[in-house]
Amino acid sequence: MPKVFLKTYGCQMNERDSEQVARMLVERGYEMTPQEKEADVVLLNTCSVRDMAEQKAIGKMGLLGRLRANKPEMVFGFLGCMAQSRGAELTRDLGHVDLVVGTQKFHRVAEYVDELVQRKRALRDRLMDDERFSIVDVAEEAGSQETIREHVLKERQATAFVSIMQGCNMHCTFCIVPSTRGAERSRRIDEIVREVEGLVARGVREVTLLGQIVNLFGRHEMEKRDGKSPFVQLLEAVHAVEGLRRLRFTSPHPIGFREDLIGAFAELPKLMPHVHLPMQSGSDRILKAMHRGYTAEKYFTLTEKLRAARPDIALTTDVIVGFPGETAEDFAATRELVRRIEPDNAFIFRYSPRRDTPAAEMGEQVPEAVKEERNQDILRLVDEFAIAKGEALVGQRVEVLCEGPSRTNELRLTGRSPGNKIVIFEGSERHIGQIFEVAVTRSSGFSLYGDPAVVAGSLIAS
């Protein structure tokens, strides 16, 4: 039985795509392994959002190539966004790479791996350096959005991602995603609901709906009904699934928030009070250059509306510093907007030029040292808010869905609050998949700790 090592870089959508690949490989008789040296097949699911992510994947593949010295029949492959962007150049530049599969062909990875494994086994006794063969598939495929529904679930898995669409039509000037993920394509609501029902039947209690710009779901394929967008219609349909306890989504775009979606946070109790709302900049001039479609004041007004609709809502965001042409005044405007919105957390990125994007060709590229200084400044500001919000929860009880052992300490359990804060606590296996309250005794700013777990009354029935 061939063993497969699969490593994922990048976003939750990439994690979800890797789940699909793993499921299909397992169904064909492959065994997944976390150990590189045990593997017969090595697959890296890649990200292209930042140059650092690409370089990490390329460097990792270079190191892994040494394993072929003892296993000449090993299969090495790149999947995902970098594979889509670079295509056949990856097999040219890294001579041991056999497989390159783009973002619309994840459902074909298992059959391609099969083909490569069988061919290499047949040639095992006479495989020569010049007998090179590879498979590269980065072509578009109509209807590929309907293939993103396979899952590999661990025993007693409490949460799951559900991809509802592929692609992006926004064309932000810094972003390579429209060229790596293609145009927006949405699945049918009834198909998504059936997938969620199947997950709940297998023990899942929380689902997170995924899309490149998730709140623009269905805008090309479906009509509004009763003043509600297709995305809100989907939220209501998934919310109605019996046995589902929690519902989340990521990542939205500010321009996709209308009154119906804001109202959903007040009207749908299973919809958790957390929004990851990418801000990117607080300078109107830079926002226009980024092609974001909103102003700083409109963004701030949106956050105020969300907090009015759901006073306990947690807000997280993305910020890019050092975009081409960003002056000290532009950066000051970004810092001021961060100060005004007081996010629970934020991901701060130094602008990274991506090939085939308009921003990469813009003048006035900001020096790396200036980017780093601005990056650290915003990080310090965000840390202040995160620490204060965490400390405010010490001594309180928060509702937690227990997901399983903590990644950093297997002797403790972990879960998330409705506001998406990580909570670490003592408990037993019986807690996994259950929803209950934990008394918060300590906060690190980004994680909460209950030591030991204190359950308010009996466990809420799963």
Side-chain angles (χ1 to χ4, degrees):
M1 182 180 293
K3 294 184 177 181
V4 180
F5 172 78
L6 173 57
K7 183 174 178 62
T8 307
Y9 297 86
C11 65
Q12 292 159 315
M13 196 169 298
N14 284 15
E15 295 283 354
R16 176 64 190 85
D17 291 334
S18 290
E19 285 183 3
Q20 175 183 355
V21 169
R23 169 70 180 270
M24 292 181 171
L25 286 166
V26 169
E27 286 180 342
R28 286 175 177 254
Y30 291 84
E31 178 183 344
M32 307 306 294
T33 177
Q35 303 298 324
E36 304 161 359
K37 294 180 180 179
E38 292 182 357
D40 303 290
V41 178
V42 169
L43 301 174
L44 303 185
N45 190 7
T46 59
C47 174
S48 280
V49 170
R50 302 179 70 204
D51 183 64
M52 184 181 297
E54 289 197 0
Q55 295 309 315
K56 281 184 178 179
I58 290 171
K60 182 70 171 179
M61 185 62 82
L63 291 173
L64 291 172
R66 300 173 184 175
L67 298 175
R68 182 168 278 174
N70 297 320
K71 279 187 182 179
E73 70 275 17
M74 281 187 73
V75 171
F76 294 87
F78 280 117
L79 316 177
C81 289
M82 186 181 74
Q84 183 72 41
S85 175
R86 298 198 177 201
E89 75 178 64
L90 291 169
T91 61
R92 181 196 68 208
D93 296 344
L94 291 111
H96 62 286
V97 171
D98 311 291
L99 179 64
V100 178
V101 180
T103 56
Q104 297 187 36
K105 298 298 181 75
F106 283 107
H107 57 291
R108 299 195 181 276
V109 171
E111 66 184 79
Y112 291 153
V113 168
D114 255 359
E115 181 179 344
L116 287 162
V117 167
Q118 291 169 18
R119 185 167 179 178
K120 289 199 171 194
R121 283 179 172 175
L123 293 171
R124 182 183 299 163
D125 296 331
R126 61 183 185 87
L127 193 63
M128 305 293 290
D129 289 341
D130 58 355
E131 278 192 277
R132 197 68 214 292
F133 56 89
S134 60
I135 297 174
V136 177
D137 188 354
V138 295
E140 294 183 2
E141 181 167 331
S144 64
Q145 71 273 18
E146 295 297 338
T147 69
I148 47 178
R149 61 172 68 93
E150 301 296 330
H151 292 265
V152 172
L153 295 185
K154 299 176 292 186
E155 186 177 356
R156 302 187 68 184
Q157 183 170 323
T159 67
F161 295 129
V162 174
S163 290
I164 65 172
M165 61 192 297
Q166 288 181 332
C168 178
N169 287 3
M170 294 307 298
H171 297 285
C172 299
T173 57
F174 55 81
C175 187
I176 196 173
V177 167
S179 64
T180 59
R181 290 276 179 177
E184 286 176 16
R185 301 158 334 269
S186 298
R187 298 173 61 191
R188 300 199 314 270
I189 289 177
D190 60 333
E191 284 289 333
I192 297 167
V193 169
R194 271 196 288 274
E195 182 177 341
V196 173
E197 289 172 339
L199 290 168
V200 170
R202 294 160 67 188
V204 169
R205 293 293 173 259
E206 173 185 293
V207 296
T208 300
L209 306 181
L210 298 181
Q212 207 63 53
I213 298 186
V214 69
N215 54 337
L216 297 184
F217 166 84
R219 63 174 175 162
H220 304 296
E221 297 90 353
M222 307 169 203
E223 299 290 334
K224 282 188 174 182
R225 291 182 181 176
D226 300 322
K228 295 178 180 178
S229 68
F231 183 60
V232 172
Q233 295 172 43
L234 173 63
L235 288 177
E236 292 178 342
V238 173
H239 187 275
V241 172
E242 187 174 351
L244 181 70
R245 300 298 301 275
R246 288 180 166 190
L247 175 59
R248 302 183 188 273
F249 62 83
T250 199
S251 283
H253 192 294
I255 69 167
F257 270 88
R258 298 290 186 265
E259 296 303 320
D260 60 335
L261 180 51
I262 295 170
F265 281 95
E267 297 163 7
L268 302 177
K270 294 180 186 178
L271 183 59
M272 292 293 96
H274 168 244
V275 176
H276 185 73
L277 190 64
M279 175 186 115
Q280 308 303 9
S281 177
S283 162
D284 290 346
R285 189 179 73 85
I286 295 298
L287 287 169
K288 184 176 181 179
M290 289 177 166
H291 196 211
R292 291 293 289 172
Y294 54 85
T295 64
E297 196 58 35
K298 285 183 178 179
Y299 180 92
F300 177 74
T301 299
L302 173 57
T303 65
E304 292 291 280
K305 288 182 177 180
L306 286 165
R307 284 168 167 153
R310 192 76 175 264
D312 61 339
I313 202 162
L315 175 68
T316 56
T317 192
D318 294 336
V319 179
I320 295 174
V321 297
F323 187 82
E326 183 186 71
T327 64
E329 290 75 19
D330 295 319
F331 174 71
T334 295
R335 195 180 193 285
E336 175 61 15
L337 185 54
V338 171
R339 188 196 62 76
R340 291 177 73 192
I341 66 172
E342 298 186 6
D344 290 66
N345 199 0
F347 298 101
I348 316 301
F349 302 98
R350 291 167 294 176
Y351 169 72
S352 175
R354 312 309 296 129
R355 65 180 185 177
D356 302 323
T357 62
E361 305 301 321
M362 292 179 181
E364 299 181 85
Q365 296 286 328
V366 177
E368 289 299 322
V370 175
K371 293 181 190 178
E372 178 61 16
E373 181 182 348
R374 293 174 180 176
N375 181 71
Q376 293 301 320
D377 188 14
I378 299 292
L379 279 173
R380 286 191 293 270
L381 181 60
V382 170
D383 285 351
E384 289 178 15
F385 294 127
I387 291 169
K389 290 173 185 281
E391 288 295 331
L393 293 171
V394 174
Q396 298 189 29
R397 292 184 174 185
V398 297
E399 182 188 90
V400 172
L401 169 59
C402 181
E403 298 176 12
S406 168
R407 291 183 180 180
T408 57
N409 184 349
E410 292 188 357
L411 298 178
R412 291 193 169 192
L413 298 174
T414 186
R416 291 183 184 267
S417 71
N420 209 37
K421 288 183 171 57
I422 296 171
V423 185
I424 299 170
F425 52 94
E426 291 183 358
S428 65
E429 189 175 339
R430 70 187 178 92
H431 290 100
I432 299 174
Q434 301 290 326
I435 296 175
F436 49 87
E437 290 184 337
V438 171
V440 179
T441 59
R442 182 167 62 90
S443 170
S444 69
F446 301 101
S447 297
L448 305 175
Y449 295 83
D451 192 11
V454 176
V455 180
S458 59
L459 290 177
I460 297 173
S462 61

